[in-house]
Amino acid sequence: MALSIKHLLGLDGVSREDIQEILDTAVTFREVIERPIKKVPTLQGKTVVNLFYENSTRTRISFELAERRLSADSLNFSVSTSSVTKGESFKDTVRNIEAMKVDMIVVRHASAGVPQYLTRISGSKIINAGDGTHEHPTQGLLDMYSIREKLGHLEGVRVCIVGDISHSRVALSNIYGLTTMGAKVSVCGPATMIPPFIKELGVDVYYNIDDAIQANDVLNVLRIQLERKAREYFPSIREYQKFYGIDTQRLEKNKKDVLILHPGPINRGVELSAEVADGEHQVILDQVTNGVAVRMAVLFLLGTQN
Amino acid sequence: MDIYIKNAHLLDPVTGVDTRGGLLIKNGVITSIGPLPEGEKEIEVWDVNGALVVPGLMDMHIHLREPGREDEETITTGSDAAAAGGFTAVACMPNTEPSIDSAEVVEYIRKRAEGHLVDVYVIGAATSERKGELIAPIGELVEAGAVAFSDDGVAIKTAKILRRVMEYAKMYDKPVIEHCEDETLAGGAMHEGITSTKLGLPGIPSIAEELTVSRDIMMAEMTGARVHIAHISTAKAVQLVREGKAKGIKVTAEVAPHHFTLTDEAVTTYDTNAKMNPPLRTGKDVEAMIAGLKDGTIDVIATDHAPHSPEEKEMEFEYAPNGILGLETAIGFTCTELLHKGHLTPADVVMKMAVNPRKILNLKVPAIRTGEEANLTIFNPELEWKVDVKKFRSKSRNSPFDGFTLRGKSLGVINKNQLFQNDA
């Protein structure tokens, strides 16, 4: 079945059928990457540019592997954000890349809306690999894939996203995608990290992590930014860890069999204790493997569209 | 310039003129109102087909970009855009490079504007380099011709300096025009609300404006100075002005057409032409702008005409500068959104676009009266037209309104013994 979307800009507005199709296709590719020869010829002759305006080794490597395993020609174009202001404009960079005749652009950028903007100035297929604090749709898809893999379905599953929701691109993609698939999404974190209008997206808000653990089947735990700039949103790492960190005692106290996801990289001992990060509840490394399969599915479905 | 304007709806709420007929102008002066006098058969006749002829409109909030960014707008192109938009006067903001914080820059602008049909009035910086640290030489700026003081682009930084500026400006009976924004709460790219949440863009909360409006009104009460709230945009800010006026505090306010027309949903496509500061707010705020215009809380319609080059606007939303063009669509939006929807009468429009701006700035208000210098705007509120930014006289093209159909357009302006007519 062909997707109705032409680009993957976000999960906002993407239909249930499209998400279903991507997740089902990913199951096939998940099987491919377990083979001794992890490569299929599906995108042979297609050129994919990974246009990264922000450092993200993990996401870039995951896309790169997905592209290579589909036999696409892939190349990386990384631009440091510091050169943005004085160097070539974004539009000129894109036009230059397109002049080399490429088919798809995977874009990561610190500014929200850049993938949408790209569709206006480019003729290529656009895949959003994270734009500012807006969306990170392939992360949302791989999270859904991982939940479905463990729990067998998404309908009715209660998922709580824990941490800095205001500055997360993962949160919005999870909210849009999971809600479309019939899951019940909530968020948990200190009030300073929860956007004041988030309830209008139909999500519940928890300020108490124990309540959140009690009420949910899945915790998607976000990485806390430890940089100084982020520090105006919470008093100290110690305080964050004390009230929102998830450790074995907290899970045992709540006697809850929750599934724990984390988009990585983990701050061990902050949002997750080392024990929990390596423990029986988590699927963190499965997420990484599933990420390649999901990205292969997205590249394949969009790359073979007319 | 000698001309007889025929089939006009002459309207001047100040002199009480509200009649249909003609107006004879000889050598730039209104010499008679009524039928064309005998013996004037040789004169050029302009049949305006029932259009309104009103005292020349004034836009008291525009950015001319000269000196400094002549690639975006110059005093000449900005004045041309004003004339095309139906204005005979403008007041330009001091955030130029260098900023208008010395008599020399005021004189430079006035000299460059000389001879143009459009009167260009200069708003001086409230503080040196608009940095909010030292009061600008207000006395010298007044001597050079400055009509008001503002750090527009930002609010006057601290309450301490605001107090000094107000005390000083009061001696000259000049208003302090405030861009109301608490910078510690602002710094976002659009209005903070459900739309910014969905778009993942950093928000500018309404309270960033309201706190400063509140501070400024209280400071005006304490100092007795006049404060004019520029480009008001939130419902609560309108309410604060309403309450301030009721207490007798000398506060006035203006609203830009985009703030009574568009909401933050215009940003949904990340169109940088919908990016301005203050940002487009919610439907509730738009309603409050209209209510404020109707009950007189908002005195003035001013455009905040802010030209930007295509290179500056053609970029990532968060990096693009704030501001849109306004001069050439102001009458269209005022007629379409306010007049034709029954919110304002033609006389109200003249008050808010011609009379009140000049009263606030202590300028002579043009009148339709025999013996007066002709300073007039001729506009047809019924004329339908499609906005085409390529046809703008402004040097820039950054308008979110390209392709909009509007009802109401300027046919021409007369001032300083000069006539400008728009193409039919």
Side-chain angles (χ1 to χ4, degrees):
Chain A
M1 199 189 80
L3 296 181
S4 60
I5 50 169
K6 299 295 167 217
H7 309 276
L8 183 66
L9 306 177
L11 295 183
D12 185 14
V14 178
S15 70
R16 196 181 176 114
E17 292 70 31
D18 278 359
I19 292 176
Q20 192 76 45
E21 179 66 15
I22 294 168
L23 297 181
D24 291 347
T25 308
V27 175
T28 322
F29 288 122
R30 183 72 177 75
E31 182 264 319
V32 168
I33 57 182
E34 292 297 339
R35 292 179 194 166
I37 294 166
K38 305 171 177 59
K39 200 159 177 159
V40 287
T42 359
L43 287 187
Q44 208 154 35
K46 298 272 185 190
T47 308
V48 186
V49 176
N50 301 312
L51 180 60
F52 276 58
Y53 272 77
E54 201 180 56
N55 270 333
S56 169
T57 315
R58 287 152 177 270
T59 304
R60 208 201 65 220
I61 285 176
S62 181
F63 267 107
E64 223 179 308
L65 262 179
E67 289 149 13
R68 289 183 185 181
R69 285 171 178 176
L70 292 169
S71 306
D73 295 317
S74 92
L75 56 110
N76 297 318
F77 194 107
S78 299
V79 189
S80 79
T81 5
S82 59
S83 71
V84 169
T85 42
K86 36 194 157 175
E88 191 179 43
S89 78
F90 180 73
K91 190 178 179 180
D92 284 335
T93 304
V94 169
R95 292 220 160 140
N96 268 281
I97 289 170
E98 288 219 309
M100 300 179 214
K101 307 295 171 197
V102 304
D103 301 292
M104 302 177 92
I105 298 176
V106 175
V107 64
R108 159 71 69 111
H109 200 293
S111 177
V114 162
Q116 276 83 345
Y117 176 47
L118 249 180
T119 63
R120 292 201 287 270
I121 58 174
S122 144
S124 305
K125 291 271 176 198
I126 307 301
I127 296 172
N128 181 2
D131 61 326
T133 55
H134 181 220
E135 285 221 49
H136 190 0
T138 55
Q139 180 72 43
L141 288 164
L142 76 89
D143 290 345
M144 286 192 275
Y145 184 100
S146 305
I147 296 167
R148 196 178 73 160
E149 191 179 47
K150 284 288 166 207
L151 304 181
H153 61 101
L154 292 170
E155 184 76 49
V157 174
R158 294 163 301 171
V159 182
C160 184
I161 309 160
V162 182
D164 187 355
I165 311 302
S166 293
H167 299 93
S168 171
R169 48 173 72 118
V170 178
L172 271 183
S173 288
N174 263 269
I175 291 168
Y176 292 132
L178 283 163
T179 306
T180 302
M181 299 311 284
K184 178 68 196 145
V185 185
S186 57
V187 297
C188 176
T192 47
M193 293 179 166
I194 309 277
F197 296 87
I198 196 87
K199 283 183 183 166
E200 291 185 40
L201 293 177
V203 306
D204 290 332
V205 175
Y206 295 97
Y207 299 117
N208 181 303
I209 187 73
D210 294 313
D211 292 347
I213 293 171
Q214 286 288 337
N216 285 281
D217 309 310
V218 179
L219 300 178
N220 193 348
V221 184
L222 305 178
R223 174 185 167 82
I224 287 298
Q225 303 293 318
L226 303 178
E227 296 82 51
R228 220 184 143 72
K229 192 169 168 277
R231 288 292 308 282
E232 65 184 79
Y233 297 96
F234 61 104
S236 69
I237 292 165
R238 201 179 84 141
E239 175 150 329
Y240 185 85
Q241 194 278 329
K242 185 172 172 188
F243 292 99
Y244 294 97
I246 296 167
D247 56 21
T248 315
Q249 288 82 346
R250 186 154 254 153
L251 291 177
E252 279 172 1
K253 183 176 93 179
N254 287 294
K255 296 191 177 56
K256 197 69 204 305
D257 186 21
V258 284
L259 189 67
I260 291 180
L261 278 71
H262 192 297
I266 306 168
N267 296 305
R268 280 175 184 258
V270 184
E271 65 265 7
L272 290 181
S273 72
E275 231 180 337
V276 171
D278 303 322
E280 50 171 342
H281 295 282
Q282 58 81 25
V283 288
I284 298 166
L285 292 176
D286 295 322
Q287 285 175 272
V288 177
T289 314
N290 295 339
V292 178
V294 162
R295 289 178 176 118
M296 286 173 80
V298 170
L299 286 158
F300 164 71
L301 290 167
L302 289 175
T304 52
Q305 251 177 358
N306 291 325
Chain B
M1 182 210 47
D2 298 345
I3 196 165
Y4 180 70
I5 301 176
K6 185 177 146 182
N7 286 330
H9 176 184
L10 305 171
L11 178 67
D12 179 351
V14 177
T15 58
V17 171
D18 185 359
T19 61
R20 290 175 196 270
L23 183 81
L24 178 66
I25 297 164
K26 294 196 78 173
N27 200 26
V29 174
I30 301 171
T31 52
S32 75
I33 295 171
L36 184 61
E38 291 294 322
E40 297 284 358
K41 299 298 180 204
E42 298 298 304
I43 202 163
E44 183 189 340
V45 174
W46 182 14
D47 186 343
V48 297
N49 289 314
L52 280 158
V53 175
V54 303
L57 306 186
M58 170 169 195
D59 188 346
M60 68 178 287
H61 190 144
I62 74 161
H63 298 271
L64 282 175
R65 302 292 185 227
E66 184 180 350
R69 286 306 301 269
E70 290 82 354
D71 60 315
E72 296 182 328
E73 197 80 285
T74 65
I75 291 160
T76 305
T77 60
S79 301
D80 288 348
F87 294 97
T88 62
V90 294
C92 61
M93 281 295 177
N95 60 336
T96 46
E97 297 164 27
S99 56
I100 310 177
D101 61 359
S102 69
E104 288 76 9
V105 183
V106 178
E107 282 154 10
Y108 170 81
I109 293 167
R110 296 187 69 200
K111 199 163 178 56
R112 295 271 293 135
E114 247 171 36
H116 199 284
L117 179 153
V118 173
D119 298 317
V120 175
Y121 295 99
V122 181
I123 298 166
T127 67
S128 289
E129 296 175 63
R130 297 170 46 253
K131 282 184 177 165
E133 290 159 8
L134 300 166
I135 316 181
I138 288 174
E140 281 182 18
L141 292 167
V142 169
E143 271 187 356
V147 296
F149 295 90
S150 179
D151 277 355
D152 186 48
V154 292
I156 295 173
K157 198 175 273 171
T158 63
K160 179 175 76 177
I161 296 296
L162 174 71
R163 176 184 176 178
R164 301 301 174 222
V165 168
M166 281 189 171
E167 287 169 338
Y168 216 95
K170 190 188 167 215
M171 296 194 296
Y172 299 94
D173 193 24
K174 300 294 176 200
V176 175
I177 303 178
E178 272 277 87
H179 167 119
C180 292
E181 180 179 30
D182 180 315
E183 64 175 3
T184 65
L185 282 172
M190 68 175 293
H191 171 67
E192 179 180 294
I194 181 62
T195 311
S196 68
T197 306
K198 288 178 79 169
L199 295 176
L201 285 169
I204 305 172
S206 295
I207 197 160
E209 174 167 327
E210 292 148 2
L211 278 177
T212 306
V213 169
S214 190
R215 176 193 81 164
D216 290 357
I217 292 174
M218 289 176 81
M219 196 68 84
E221 180 177 30
M222 193 276 268
T223 58
R226 293 197 285 133
V227 66
H228 176 75
I229 309 299
H231 44 50
I232 199 162
S233 74
T234 84
K236 201 172 276 178
V238 173
Q239 184 55 25
L240 287 166
V241 172
R242 187 175 286 125
E243 288 163 9
K245 285 187 163 180
K247 282 189 215 159
I249 301 167
K250 292 172 195 155
V251 55
T252 53
E254 71 187 31
V255 64
H258 47 267
H259 285 127
F260 61 69
T261 305
L262 297 178
T263 68
D264 58 350
E265 283 171 30
V267 180
T268 304
T269 57
Y270 297 95
D271 177 2
T272 58
N273 282 329
K275 184 177 179 186
M276 67 283 287
N277 190 12
L280 297 171
R281 306 276 187 190
T282 67
K284 197 176 120 274
D285 296 303
V286 169
E287 284 170 25
M289 296 309 123
I290 293 167
L293 282 162
K294 284 170 85 162
D295 73 7
T297 302
I298 300 174
D299 308 83
V300 167
I301 295 168
T303 69
D304 194 9
H305 179 82
H308 285 292
S309 68
E311 322 71 274
E312 278 191 325
K313 277 288 194 181
E314 269 278 345
M315 63 162 74
E316 299 93 321
F317 193 88
E318 281 177 64
Y319 306 154
N322 290 306
I324 65 165
L325 301 180
L327 284 167
E328 293 170 77
T329 47
I331 287 183
F333 276 102
T334 302
C335 290
T336 307
E337 297 296 327
L338 303 175
L339 196 62
H340 297 311
K341 290 185 177 170
H343 300 309
L344 295 185
T345 64
D348 294 334
V349 171
V350 175
M351 291 306 290
K352 291 182 197 298
M353 296 182 80
V355 179
N356 294 344
R358 291 182 176 92
K359 277 190 176 165
I360 290 166
L361 299 174
N362 280 342
L363 303 171
K364 182 181 179 296
V365 179
I368 298 183
R369 187 164 37 204
T370 308
E372 284 283 329
E373 196 197 342
N375 182 334
L376 303 166
T377 295
I378 300 98
F379 73 99
N380 180 349
E382 301 301 331
L383 189 67
E384 275 206 1
W385 62 291
K386 201 171 172 182
V387 179
D388 179 357
V389 295
K390 290 194 288 297
K391 291 186 179 156
F392 279 178
R393 302 269 174 157
S394 168
K395 208 166 178 179
S396 289
R397 295 288 173 263
N398 54 307
S399 169
F401 300 127
D402 194 30
F404 272 52
T405 298
L406 299 177
R407 190 165 140 221
K409 194 174 194 295
S410 172
L411 305 182
V413 284
I414 294 171
N415 187 26
K416 292 187 195 161
N417 201 13
Q418 295 174 53
L419 166 72
F420 172 88
Q421 282 173 296
N422 281 313
D423 301 331

